[in-house]
Amino acid sequence: MTPGAPHPEGPAAQPLRSDAERNRERIIAAARTVFARDGLNASMASVAREAGVGSATMFRRFPTKEELVDAVFSDRMGAYADVVTVALEDSDPWNGFVGYIETACAMQAADNGFADVLTMTFPTAKVLEERRNRAYEGMLRLIERTKATGRLRADFDPSDLVLIHMANAGVVNATGDAAPDAWRRAVALIIQSVEAPARGPLPASPGHEPLYKAMLRAGQTTSAPPSGKSGRPRGGLGVRGAVPA
């Protein structure tokens, strides 16, 4: 090497690293906008267009959709886990439980992409799934505490939370801008239905494993190349096995 010549890893390379970081942040910001509007079935190409970058740049920064989902939604999943923590801190377990349901469903209504994240699992999205796990463990404690007060029906199962969020997301998806607050009435009806005393028996729970398989399949479908179909599942929460929440 010639003495005094610029080293290829020295200051001359720094602008490239800065450009790469700027592109990464632009992609994440664009993905937040696109996923919030269109859900996770939005294509990587549409995110690249929103970010104003080429496909090659897009895939250099995020080779897979799971990596992009992790970058975009890990903070939202962290906020979601914090909702569970707040509910556990409430001196009235039923009030905490109701507050959790209402707040989590509001998060769904505000962001179509996050509604999808809650009904899917992405095993390679390590940060997102770790925070989902934290939320799930807290919810197990919240359910047991609320049952102990006698306010939550005894046959309520943790997997019922998945069904609640799936139902809420279906309402959000169907009503859209035409009736943007309709989900609030649906959630109120659901909350009243789970309060004790129970009005009657429930059918058997589908169980954690079948719901996890459904979430895994939904995540894989969303990450697959476009097939020309526009349907997209939404809603949910996470179950043990959804790594594991």
Side-chain angles (χ1 to χ4, degrees):
M1 179 179 296
T2 304
H7 191 285
E9 297 301 322
Q14 184 60 39
L16 292 177
R17 291 196 292 270
S18 297
D19 287 347
E21 181 59 27
R22 283 195 294 270
N23 283 336
R24 184 180 187 277
E25 294 304 318
R26 287 170 64 185
I27 291 167
I28 291 173
R32 286 196 176 105
T33 298
V34 172
F35 290 155
R37 182 186 66 225
D38 301 331
L40 292 191
N41 268 8
S43 68
M44 296 283 273
S46 66
V47 173
R49 285 193 298 271
E50 180 75 20
V53 301
S55 294
T57 298
M58 178 78 183
F59 285 101
R60 275 198 301 272
R61 302 281 74 81
F62 297 99
T64 68
K65 199 170 195 178
E66 286 86 349
E67 291 178 64
L68 182 57
V69 167
D70 202 15
V72 171
F73 291 107
S74 289
D75 60 342
R76 295 284 287 167
M77 190 62 80
Y80 174 78
D82 290 342
V83 171
V84 181
T85 300
V86 170
L88 283 167
E89 292 172 349
D90 197 307
S91 59
D92 181 344
W94 172 254
N95 188 64
F97 179 82
V98 171
Y100 156 73
I101 295 291
E102 292 176 339
T103 303
C105 287
M107 292 176 73
Q108 285 186 288
D111 188 325
N112 289 333
F114 191 63
D116 285 344
V117 166
L118 289 182
T119 194
M120 301 172 186
T121 186
F122 303 91
T124 63
K126 301 301 184 184
V127 177
L128 184 148
E129 296 299 343
E130 184 278 328
R131 292 173 181 176
R132 191 200 303 265
N133 294 348
R134 176 161 62 91
Y136 180 75
E137 295 302 326
M139 285 185 297
L140 291 180
R141 297 194 299 274
L142 179 61
I143 289 169
E144 290 308 309
R145 286 184 60 204
T146 310
K147 282 185 178 181
T149 68
R151 294 292 301 278
L152 181 64
R153 58 185 301 155
D155 57 356
F156 187 89
D157 187 84
S159 63
D160 291 330
L161 290 172
V162 182
L163 300 180
I164 288 172
H165 289 299
M166 287 178 173
N168 178 58
V171 172
V172 171
N173 187 29
T175 56
D177 294 338
D181 290 327
W183 68 272
R184 297 182 186 277
R185 183 176 178 88
V187 169
L189 290 168
I190 290 170
I191 289 171
Q192 292 181 34
S193 74
V194 302
E195 187 174 8
R199 272 58 173 180
L202 292 171
S205 167
H208 298 291
E209 287 305 314
L211 285 177
Y212 169 64
K213 289 178 182 177
M215 293 172 67
L216 184 60
R217 183 173 62 238
Q220 291 170 339
T221 300
T222 297
S223 299
S227 63
K229 297 182 179 180
S230 59
R232 61 184 186 84
R234 292 186 184 169
L237 164 68
V239 295
R240 187 178 297 278
V243 195

